[in-house]
Amino acid sequence: MVFNSFSFLLFFPIVVWIYFIIPKKIRYIWLLIASYYFYMSWNARYALLIAASTLITYVSGLLLERADAVSEQEKQASLKKWIVAGSFVTNLGILFFFKYFDFALSVLNRLLGGLGIGIVEKPFDVLLPVGISFYTFQALSYTMDVYRGQLKAEKNLLRYALFVSFFPQLVAGPIERSTSLLGQLGRVHEIKLWNYDRITSGLSMMLWGYFMKMVIADRLAIYVDNVFDNYTQYGATVLILGAVFFAFQIYCDFGSYSLIAIGSAKVMGFTLMENFDTPYFSRSIKEFWRRWHISLSTWFRDYLYIPLGGSRKGKIRTYVNLMITFLASGLWHGASFSFVVWGGLHGLYQIIGSVLKPCKRKLTDALRVKTDCYSYELLQCIITFVLVDFAWIFFRANSLSAAAAYLGRIVRHADPWALFDGSVFAAGLSMPEFLVAVCGLLILLAVDRIRCRKGMQLDAYLNTQSLWYRWGVYIFLICSILIFGIYGTAYDATEFIYFQF
Amino acid sequence: MQTEGSTALKKALGKILGFFLILGIILTQLNRIFSFKYEDGIRQMEQFYRQEKGTVDVLVLGSSHAFVDIDPAVLYERQGIAAYDLCASMQSTWHTYYDLKEALKYQKPKLVVMDVFRIVENFNYSKESKLIKSVYGMRPSRDKLEAIRAGLSEEEQASAYLYFLEFPSYHSRYTDLTEEDFTDHPSKLAGYKGYYPATEVTELKRPRVEDISERYPIEEKTKEYFIRILKLAKENNIPVLLINAPYRMSEDDKRVYNSLEDLLEELSAEYPTVYVDFNRMYDELGLDFEVDFADEDHLNRTGVQKLDSYLADYLAAHYELPDRREDARFASYLCNQF
């Protein structure tokens, strides 16, 4: 059940309505039932995996707390490490098996092939369970937080199961921290449900999320899919446009999911962490990672980069830690070398940025470049976007070689006239559709600009405006989604134009 | 405290109500603008609802063979017969069945005239455009949902609700909108009786299929709904006249019609039905294949005049249909628009 499905439009109001009317004490049980139903609507068997992950981390939490009773410090520390290792190995083992088994096998075969040894046959097909990377990381954060003493182990298994499976953020984040969400779930009976401002605020976040997804992301996807799948047919102009559109497609797609998740949780009285904070207004790659998929990048920072030593052990070690973190982040996004290269590029950008920082400073001083002005900020944003978008090509291309060929065509097939001869409208979106996409992007940039400038989300900004303006925006968004959203039956207009009797 | 709380709640409810009222008005208008305005299916049903109760004596069912070839104005002028063409392009029998079922909720016709052309249907689901044209004119009801389901294949059943909501099918028409979409209003067409004229003249060769005696079977689903139509009419004490309007009949079609005749004979005890095949009566009707056809499937205005004059006389002679020419309630038949 995805958020932009008719099923969810029925599911969500029903869940919220029942949640509002049932006794306070069983609210979390109802949400657990709803969450498992939500997850099982993809495949009922997946529930076993999430239940297994829940049980392992739940028990590890209890064991970690019990280990505190061991009086001998050394023994206690060693025991706790073993428990954490057990939880990580089993959870990451499940994740590895379902997500990376095929990839690992193909790598193994490539290595064996290079050595002239026979190919290992694939013994079975592995289907990737929806959201496994998200909930596994969320569950592991709990183990770590209990280990670090930041949180007491949760005794109530059902409440803990809800923490792992909470339906708004279950399949695509934000990856919540146990210190935040588990606490809120523990106080669910205290939530004052009827709060007009909170509910309308949550709904308007959802509405903006649906606009980003259905009007912008899904429309750009038509162009992007066509361009990336048939890149050999296009020149540089369309290919660059395809890459730029992909940057916004993935932002709107991913960002919208987070917004709908945060909004729907807000309607029910929960606060989820922010996941995307106007990432394309970043002025450096480092800043980009503070604004892009925040819940994942902070997860990697807290549970991988810092335990590796972070930036505390010298420059070289810092760079190595950065590369490890970003390569792991790349691999987390998908089981292929394209994602590893994408992650590696971001690691490399940051290392080069750090190495060149003194040179950059000297250069700007020598050339007396004015740095405290809008034009300089804009230039930084554009350069950052270009670097990010360059890496996105590897993320989106069907393979590493396809990404290289895509970039090769951009270099070798310059065709600026494509902007004027209508070629850009012949790559998946007709002119009116293209214009809708561009208008959607302008609206997105305007909303992000407001957010960047005023530091508030659309819902908070609207609350500062008068009623007619608020309602105007809501009605505009609803009508835009209904008219310009990509949904419904893909009817073939030509079939209708022909007046067939 | 409690008063403050209830005032806030009342205020909030007032706001919610106001918001949804404005939104509802806007969405209704958007729906009117974006909706399909096809005149070969949807409009027939939409306008049927606008007919005054008790003003449809003859309900004409079927595909375009019926709504292009049967002009209620000719029937009315010649014999005072009040007929309405409730049809849709290439309409399958399952949708004809639901058209009849829907029509009986609003009118009590004295006769059903059904063109049998779509008995040759060789699929057991409808193409999307045909489904839409047959169903989108219907008001929301359980029957409408059933009609949608009947037209969808097994794999498409899950998307039945999208067709029921309709808007998901036409929301992306923003690239096709014309002035008509903004100005078109059903009330403009008070005298509309479902007829759609074909005005071209196409010279055709007269089909020679009378010697074909082979049989091709009627598809099971088509047969099932055909029988359901007969049953529904019988339950409502409405006689059914089956017709086969003139067209350039193919040999394969003829083979299916042979099976239809067998079926009618088989059903004759339970559902005594009259079947008039006008394709055997070209000379009797005076049809000239050089001037009376608009295309291979439809008569033009001169052809319609010949067929409908004959049909009007036939209906007047064989059925007890009142002459409505002097009745003011039927005045709209005089301004029959299309």
Side-chain angles (χ1 to χ4, degrees):
Chain A
M1 189 193 306
V2 288
F3 283 162
N4 58 329
S5 66
F6 191 68
S7 321
F8 186 76
L9 290 183
L10 283 178
F11 169 85
F12 184 63
I14 293 171
V15 168
V16 171
W17 181 66
I18 294 175
Y19 171 73
F20 271 43
I21 58 167
I22 55 174
K24 290 175 182 178
K25 280 188 177 174
I26 58 166
R27 279 178 189 167
Y28 74 96
I29 296 173
W30 168 243
L31 289 181
L32 178 65
I33 293 167
S35 297
Y36 266 74
Y37 175 81
F38 177 82
Y39 194 60
M40 286 163 77
S41 67
W42 269 280
N43 185 334
R45 281 177 296 182
Y46 290 166
L48 290 174
L49 283 177
I50 198 169
S53 196
T54 303
L55 268 179
I56 293 163
T57 45
Y58 171 76
V59 171
S60 73
L62 293 180
L63 290 177
L64 280 167
E65 206 161 75
R66 193 170 287 184
D68 283 337
V70 176
S71 53
E72 203 180 318
Q73 283 291 320
E74 215 169 288
K75 205 175 169 190
Q76 187 199 77
S78 152
L79 187 61
K80 284 171 94 169
K81 275 184 184 162
W82 274 108
I83 295 166
V84 172
S87 175
F88 267 67
V89 167
T90 42
N91 274 290
L92 292 176
I94 294 171
L95 179 63
F96 175 85
F97 178 76
F98 283 96
K99 193 164 178 175
Y100 303 103
F101 183 78
D102 283 356
F103 175 59
L105 201 62
S106 74
V107 173
L108 180 69
N109 277 331
R110 211 176 287 179
L111 289 173
L112 291 177
L115 298 170
I117 304 170
I119 302 286
V120 180
E121 289 289 335
K122 207 163 97 175
F124 38 70
D125 282 325
V126 183
L127 274 179
L128 180 65
V130 181
I132 189 167
S133 315
F134 289 91
Y135 71 70
T136 302
F137 269 41
Q138 185 155 314
L140 286 177
S141 84
Y142 167 78
T143 302
M144 274 307 273
D145 290 345
V146 175
Y147 170 73
R148 288 173 175 174
Q150 292 169 345
L151 186 80
K152 284 197 165 182
E154 174 61 56
K155 306 289 183 307
N156 186 326
L157 176 61
L158 297 182
R159 186 170 290 132
Y160 179 71
L162 174 59
F163 161 71
V164 180
S165 64
F166 189 46
F167 76 85
Q169 41 82 244
L170 171 59
V171 293
I175 301 165
E176 275 299 318
R177 296 304 170 80
S178 49
T179 42
S180 164
L181 184 59
L182 203 48
Q184 291 185 61
L185 294 173
R187 295 187 300 275
V188 64
H189 55 280
E190 294 169 14
I191 295 173
K192 190 184 165 210
L193 294 180
W194 176 252
N195 180 325
Y196 179 79
D197 290 338
R198 191 199 71 227
I199 293 170
T200 51
S201 172
L203 289 174
S204 59
M205 284 176 94
M206 291 175 78
L207 196 58
W208 175 235
Y210 279 114
F211 180 88
M212 281 173 74
K213 168 71 180 160
M214 293 167 75
V215 179
I216 307 176
D218 289 351
R219 177 167 277 96
L220 294 179
I222 299 168
Y223 200 88
V224 170
D225 289 350
N226 178 55
V227 172
F228 274 85
D229 290 347
N230 307 293
Y231 64 90
T232 52
Q233 294 173 19
Y234 300 108
T237 308
V238 168
L239 295 182
I240 291 171
L241 209 55
V244 171
F245 277 6
F246 179 65
F248 285 100
Q249 181 206 334
I250 193 162
Y251 169 41
C252 289
D253 204 295
F254 215 168
S256 66
Y257 201 98
S258 292
L259 269 177
I260 298 169
I262 296 167
S264 52
K266 198 169 187 178
V267 169
M268 295 186 287
F270 299 96
T271 307
L272 300 185
M273 73 185 291
E274 204 174 8
N275 217 13
F276 291 86
D277 178 11
T278 61
Y280 293 140
F281 287 142
S282 305
R283 290 158 60 189
S284 67
I285 296 295
K286 201 173 175 183
E287 189 185 348
F288 175 79
W289 279 102
R290 283 201 300 269
R291 292 167 174 269
W292 179 271
H293 204 177
I294 301 164
S295 64
L296 180 73
S297 45
T298 50
W299 196 100
F300 274 114
R301 182 197 64 200
D302 295 347
Y303 302 119
L304 182 62
Y305 180 70
I306 291 175
L308 282 172
S311 57
R312 302 184 306 271
K313 296 185 174 173
K315 277 208 165 172
I316 301 294
R317 197 49 204 279
T318 304
Y319 296 154
V320 171
N321 292 343
L322 257 177
M323 274 314 276
I324 291 172
T325 307
F326 276 93
L327 288 173
S329 168
L331 208 53
W332 181 90
H333 283 85
S336 95
F337 281 117
S338 304
F339 294 108
V340 178
V341 169
W342 170 78
L345 272 172
H346 276 277
L348 212 59
Y349 286 157
Q350 297 200 52
I351 293 167
I352 294 171
S354 174
V355 169
L356 294 181
K357 206 173 178 181
C359 303
K360 193 179 132 195
R361 196 170 296 152
K362 275 183 190 165
L363 202 67
T364 47
D365 287 347
L367 296 172
R368 292 185 181 173
V369 177
K370 207 174 172 193
T371 55
D372 56 346
C373 59
Y374 173 72
S375 57
Y376 187 74
E377 284 179 18
L378 183 67
L379 183 69
Q380 285 182 307
C381 284
I382 292 171
I383 292 171
T384 306
F385 181 81
V386 170
L387 291 173
V388 168
D389 204 22
F390 177 80
W392 280 137
I393 294 175
F394 290 89
F395 192 97
R396 173 59 185 82
N398 298 329
S399 64
L400 264 183
S401 54
Y406 192 99
L407 288 163
R409 279 192 74 82
I410 290 180
V411 175
R412 286 194 303 273
H413 292 82
D415 58 344
W417 55 87
L419 283 171
F420 309 99
D421 68 1
S423 303
V424 290
F425 305 128
L429 290 178
S430 61
M431 192 164 78
E433 292 285 354
F434 194 94
L435 288 176
V436 171
V438 171
C439 290
L441 286 177
L442 290 175
I443 294 170
L444 172 76
L445 289 176
V447 171
D448 272 8
R449 183 81 189 139
I450 291 170
R451 190 165 166 208
C452 215
R453 277 272 166 114
K454 299 187 185 285
M456 46 173 84
Q457 288 267 22
L458 181 68
D459 60 307
Y461 168 72
L462 288 176
N463 280 336
T464 65
Q465 301 297 318
S466 52
L467 187 82
W468 74 267
Y469 187 84
R470 271 204 315 274
W471 284 17
V473 172
Y474 296 151
I475 289 172
F476 170 78
L477 289 177
I478 291 171
C479 293
S480 298
I481 292 165
L482 287 175
I483 295 170
F484 301 115
I486 305 290
Y487 69 100
T489 57
Y491 89 97
D492 179 3
T494 53
E495 211 182 283
F496 288 86
I497 289 163
Y498 178 52
F499 200 73
Q500 259 179 321
F501 291 114
Chain B
M1 278 296 278
Q2 221 170 18
T3 329
E4 260 178 47
S6 64
T7 316
L9 189 67
K10 271 182 195 166
K11 212 174 147 187
L13 285 176
K15 273 193 198 172
I16 293 167
L17 210 67
F19 177 78
F20 281 104
L21 193 70
I22 295 171
L23 183 67
I25 293 168
I26 292 172
L27 293 185
T28 309
Q29 288 307 308
L30 281 178
N31 189 55
R32 187 184 66 77
I33 293 165
F34 279 76
S35 63
F36 292 123
K37 295 168 184 77
Y38 294 113
E39 292 176 338
D40 56 330
I42 296 172
R43 179 149 294 164
Q44 272 83 355
M45 183 56 93
E46 281 174 354
Q47 292 301 310
F48 183 78
Y49 293 122
R50 300 182 69 85
Q51 305 301 310
E52 199 185 321
K53 223 170 185 172
T55 60
V56 176
D57 291 333
V58 175
L59 186 70
V60 180
L61 300 173
S63 66
S64 63
H65 285 212
F67 73 72
V68 174
D69 288 0
I70 299 177
D71 179 0
V74 178
L75 305 184
Y76 186 78
E77 275 163 13
R78 194 165 173 102
Q79 292 289 350
I81 295 167
Y84 189 95
D85 295 346
L86 188 62
C87 320
S89 278
M90 298 285 277
Q91 189 176 66
S92 312
T93 52
W94 42 90
H95 287 142
T96 305
Y97 166 76
Y98 284 104
D99 267 6
L100 175 60
K101 201 173 177 193
E102 187 70 2
L104 294 179
K105 293 177 191 168
Y106 300 91
Q107 298 284 348
K108 291 272 171 220
K110 294 173 174 58
L111 173 68
V112 164
V113 174
M114 179 184 164
D115 182 88
V116 296
F117 172 56
R118 291 319 297 159
I119 207 82
V120 302
E121 178 72 70
N122 45 18
F123 291 102
N124 52 18
Y125 56 88
S126 308
K127 278 181 90 173
E128 189 187 38
S129 60
K130 306 295 169 287
L131 167 79
I132 285 172
K133 285 175 179 175
S134 283
V135 170
Y136 275 25
M138 285 171 81
R139 288 174 179 166
S141 67
R142 181 188 283 265
D143 282 332
K144 179 173 181 168
L145 189 60
E146 275 182 24
I148 291 167
R149 288 195 182 287
L152 293 172
S153 63
E154 276 301 312
E155 304 79 59
E156 294 169 321
Q157 288 296 325
S159 54
Y161 71 91
L162 290 173
Y163 292 101
F164 188 77
L165 292 171
E166 295 189 7
F167 198 77
S169 304
Y170 46 69
H171 74 96
S172 50
R173 281 192 66 232
Y174 54 85
T175 51
D176 309 326
L177 293 181
T178 61
E179 187 185 342
E180 191 204 352
D181 290 303
F182 290 85
T183 55
D184 183 71
H185 196 273
S187 63
K188 276 167 41 185
L189 296 162
Y192 176 90
K193 303 294 172 194
Y195 171 64
Y196 188 90
T199 50
E200 303 83 358
V201 178
T202 305
E203 228 176 275
L204 294 179
K205 273 192 179 171
R206 184 176 169 141
R208 303 279 175 203
V209 293
E210 41 293 6
D211 295 337
I212 290 172
S213 56
E214 284 177 274
R215 273 131 174 86
Y216 278 170
I218 302 169
E219 280 292 324
E220 273 311 308
K221 188 171 170 184
T222 299
K223 193 198 282 186
E224 178 200 332
Y225 277 92
F226 176 73
I227 295 170
R228 283 172 78 170
I229 292 167
L230 300 182
K231 189 169 177 240
L232 183 60
K234 187 181 176 185
E235 282 166 3
N236 286 276
N237 298 315
I238 305 169
V240 177
L241 168 64
L242 299 175
I243 62 161
N244 199 338
Y247 74 107
R248 228 182 86 76
M249 188 186 286
S250 71
E251 293 183 358
D252 283 352
D253 286 0
K254 172 66 178 158
R255 291 181 179 104
V256 183
Y257 294 133
N258 288 340
S259 296
L260 173 68
E261 287 176 18
D262 295 345
L263 177 67
L264 290 175
E265 203 172 312
E266 202 180 296
L267 297 171
S268 59
E270 203 173 349
Y271 306 111
T273 314
V274 179
Y275 173 43
V276 179
D277 184 356
F278 288 114
N279 290 284
R280 289 178 177 167
M281 303 165 64
Y282 300 140
D283 296 326
E284 209 173 332
L285 295 168
L287 284 179
D288 180 347
F289 274 75
E290 290 190 356
V291 295
D292 289 334
F293 282 83
D295 55 49
E296 295 207 337
D297 279 298
H298 310 101
L299 296 170
N300 57 26
R301 290 295 300 154
T302 59
V304 164
Q305 198 65 39
K306 290 174 186 174
L307 172 73
D308 291 357
S309 300
Y310 184 96
L311 182 64
D313 295 346
Y314 180 90
L315 295 180
H318 292 85
Y319 298 94
E320 285 178 20
L321 297 170
D323 185 339
R324 304 290 197 182
R325 281 173 287 196
E326 301 301 320
D327 192 333
R329 285 174 63 232
F330 291 79
S332 64
Y333 281 85
L334 289 173
C335 53
N336 191 353
Q337 295 163 334
F338 44 77

